[in-house]
């Protein structure tokens, strides 16, 4: 996930109360479970500033030492491309370059990382304390109009695709788009879903409009995932988060909703500000176009974005907001259909105080234990449910 301009980092750590030490039982369960985080934006961050993530990298939220500290077993590296890259025809190039970056991480540190392409390989590849890196493509733009690119990216290791991002594309309408193009999936998008089913690539419905999610569920033969979504119950009117109705529908088909940590998804004011920013930006662009058409100088987009951020500071959030989302989802759709997709490195540091990096999964475990979740259920939430869905999608593909 990449947030639009509205989300500048404004929280003051000086104002944050100290976090109590996580108990030993939580650390032990985090290390003993198979934690699967389905959305970490490390590859895109490497494109803007390279770092060796095999060693401690304080400026990033994912690196090997903290992943081991937090108990992360499998991190889906997000291969993100923007609508602008789609429009410019550079999304394919960017996606392949990011995949190269992930493979370079593995090649540079074969004792620390391994690239994961099948849930059947988890136990073998984890030996020796390795953190496994799987690939999820955020935005289907890199395939362009060419259905055969799905097989090419599957060969490169992509195992889920978020069909659209912050704008409508050839495949699907976006939840963020003020005006929808297709009224759901496009005709090409229906073919994309069918081909993903055939290949064994999980369909990800995060970022999609409600009608698009309904169309995906009608078209797919296998369970789907929402790789990094919040529950709309907590952010009324924010289409980017999944509604109760659609969460139930995803679960009814055997799928899983991976709950996100980012403040913009778990705090009602932050989500409302983001929703309002779309309209404000559209109004600004329209007014600027009118100025240019009249022969007058355009206003500065940078100045507009700074003014918006200054007027809409990001609220401080705590881990309780994430735990509330998990509790609600478990009650609504059942513990077998809930997981985690943090959005680390994708939300400009706008995260709960106690969930700032991949080192902090034990804090989540401790919170779930304190709220009465059994260790068996916590294991499902941490990764067991996602692995079940991935296995089902892979099995259906090989049976075709």
């Amino acid at each position: 996930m990449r947030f639009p301009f509205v989300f500048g980092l404004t929280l003051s750590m000086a104002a944050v109360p100290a976090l109590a030490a996580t108990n030993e039982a939580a650390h032990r369960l985090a290390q003993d479970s198979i934690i699967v985080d389905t959305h970490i934006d490390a590859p895109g961050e490497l494109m803007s500033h390279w770092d060796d993530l095999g060693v401690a990298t304080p400026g990033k939220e994912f690196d090997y030492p903290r992943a081991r500290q937090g108990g992360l077993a499998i991190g889906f590296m997000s291969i993100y491309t923007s609508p602008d890259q789609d429009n410019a025809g550079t999304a394919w190039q960017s996606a392949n370059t990011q995949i190269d970056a992930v493979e370079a991480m593995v090649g540079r540190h074969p004792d620390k990382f391994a690239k994961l392409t099948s849930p059947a390989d988890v136990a073998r590849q984890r030996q020796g304390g390795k953190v496994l890196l799987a690939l999820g493509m955020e935005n289907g733009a890199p395939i362009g109009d060419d259905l055969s690119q799905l097989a090419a990216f599957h060969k490169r290791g992509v195992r889920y695709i978020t069909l659209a991002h912050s704008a409508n594309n050839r495949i699907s309408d976006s939840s963020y788009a003020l005006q929808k193009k297709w009224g759901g999936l496009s005709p090409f998008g229906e073919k994309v879903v069918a081909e993903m089913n055939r290949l064994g690539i999980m369909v990800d419905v995060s970022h999609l409009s409600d009608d698009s999610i309904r169309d995906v569920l009608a078209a797919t033969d296998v369970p789907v995932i929402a790789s990094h979504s919040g529950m709309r119950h907590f952010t009324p009117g924010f289409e980017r988060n999944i509604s109760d109705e659609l969460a139930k529908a995803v679960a009814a088909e055997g799928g899983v909703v991976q709950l996100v940590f980012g403040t913009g998804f778990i705090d009602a004011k932050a989500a409302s500000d983001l929703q309002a920013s779309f309209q404000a930006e559209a109004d600004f662009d329209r007014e600027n176009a009118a100025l240019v058409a009249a022969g007058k100088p355009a206003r500065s987009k940078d100045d507009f974005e700074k003014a918006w951020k200054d007027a809409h500071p990001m609220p401080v959030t705590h881990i309780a907001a994430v735990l509330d989302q998990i509790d609600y989802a478990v009650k609504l759709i059942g513990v077998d259909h809930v997981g985690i997709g943090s959005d680390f490195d994708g939300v400009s540091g706008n995260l709960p105080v106690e969930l700032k990096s991949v080192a902090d999964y034990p804090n989540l475990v401790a919170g779930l234990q304190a709220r009465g979740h059994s260790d068996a259920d916590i294991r499902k939430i941490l990764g067991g449910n996602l692995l079940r869905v991935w296995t089902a999608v892979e099995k259906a593909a090989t049976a075709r």
Side-chain angles (χ1 to χ4, degrees):
M1 166 65 188
R2 301 289 172 178
F3 272 130
F5 67 84
V6 64
F7 288 114
L9 179 60
T10 59
L11 67 84
S12 170
M13 292 305 294
V16 175
L19 177 65
T22 306
N23 64 53
E24 182 181 344
H27 277 285
R28 189 165 54 248
L29 183 56
Q31 293 293 331
D32 188 53
S33 300
I34 301 178
I35 297 178
V36 184
D37 188 328
T38 45
H39 202 87
I40 298 174
D41 274 294
E45 286 294 289
L46 292 177
M47 296 300 100
S48 58
H49 186 278
W50 183 87
D51 286 291
D52 183 352
L53 299 183
V55 299
T57 313
K60 302 289 173 63
E61 291 156 10
F62 168 85
D63 61 35
Y64 178 79
R66 283 179 293 170
R68 290 289 292 141
Q69 179 184 344
L72 179 66
I74 304 165
F76 272 82
M77 300 287 100
S78 176
I79 307 303
Y80 164 76
T81 57
S82 70
D84 286 345
Q85 289 172 314
D86 190 9
N87 293 334
T90 60
W92 180 89
Q93 177 69 29
S94 177
N96 279 289
T97 302
Q98 290 178 64
I99 295 171
D100 284 350
V102 175
E103 292 177 344
M105 273 197 280
V106 175
R108 191 176 300 112
H109 297 287
D111 57 328
K112 296 178 178 179
F113 297 120
K115 185 178 174 184
L116 180 68
T117 59
S118 171
D121 296 332
V122 172
R124 175 181 60 82
Q125 289 190 291
R126 283 188 74 197
Q127 293 178 10
K130 293 177 183 176
V131 174
L132 308 185
L133 307 181
L135 300 179
M137 179 180 285
E138 187 177 25
N139 194 356
I143 72 169
D145 298 308
D146 185 358
L147 210 60
S148 71
Q149 284 298 317
L150 289 169
F153 280 114
H154 180 268
K155 187 175 182 180
R156 294 220 64 188
V158 171
R159 290 301 180 266
Y160 80 69
I161 296 176
T162 317
L163 300 184
H165 188 251
S166 56
N168 307 324
N169 63 12
R170 301 168 187 81
I171 300 169
S172 171
D173 287 337
S174 166
S175 62
Y176 285 159
L178 295 177
Q179 301 294 326
K180 312 304 186 189
K181 181 176 182 179
W182 304 106
L185 283 180
S186 71
F188 178 63
E190 293 176 357
K191 295 178 182 178
V192 167
V193 170
E195 180 67 356
M196 289 172 67
N197 284 180
R198 188 187 73 81
L199 292 166
I201 301 173
M202 290 179 283
V203 179
D204 175 21
V205 299
S206 288
H207 280 289
L208 302 193
S209 69
D210 286 359
D211 285 338
S212 297
I213 297 175
R214 292 187 186 97
D215 284 353
V216 166
L217 292 171
T220 186
D221 293 331
V222 294
V224 305
I225 68 169
S227 69
H228 61 306
S229 289
M231 300 299 296
R232 197 181 303 168
H233 170 82
F234 295 93
T235 58
F238 186 47
E239 191 176 11
R240 168 64 179 83
N241 279 345
I242 196 164
S243 70
D244 285 7
E245 170 213 342
L246 290 172
K248 289 179 180 179
V250 167
E253 297 296 325
V256 61
V257 176
Q258 303 285 107
L259 293 171
V260 71
F261 300 169
T263 295
F265 304 115
I266 62 175
D267 180 88
K269 181 184 183 301
S272 178
D273 286 348
L274 176 57
Q275 195 76 28
S277 75
F278 302 145
Q279 186 63 59
E281 186 173 17
D283 291 345
F284 174 87
D285 290 341
R286 185 175 59 254
E287 291 164 6
N288 245 4
L291 288 173
V292 172
K296 299 177 181 179
R299 295 162 54 203
S300 166
K301 187 69 169 282
D302 289 343
D303 288 349
F304 164 72
E305 293 180 357
K306 182 180 184 304
W308 179 274
K309 286 194 291 186
D310 290 346
H312 302 84
M314 178 64 66
V316 175
T317 53
H318 289 275
I319 196 170
V322 175
L323 294 170
D324 289 346
Q325 298 253 345
I326 293 174
D327 284 347
Y328 184 82
V330 166
K331 291 176 183 176
L332 180 73
I333 61 177
V335 72
D336 292 327
H337 304 285
V338 180
I340 57 170
S342 65
D343 219 344
F344 284 137
D345 283 317
V347 289
S348 303
N350 294 303
L351 293 154
V353 172
E354 305 86 355
L355 289 173
K356 286 296 186 184
S357 80
V358 291
D360 293 333
Y361 300 112
N363 294 339
L364 184 69
V365 174
L368 291 170
Q369 289 175 327
R371 292 195 176 197
H373 296 271
S374 70
D375 284 1
D377 283 350
I378 293 171
R379 290 176 189 273
K380 291 180 179 181
I381 294 166
L382 292 178
N385 292 332
L386 188 282
L387 290 175
R388 184 197 74 246
V389 172
W390 189 2
T391 299
V393 172
E394 182 180 88
K395 182 177 180 181
T398 57
R400 291 176 189 271

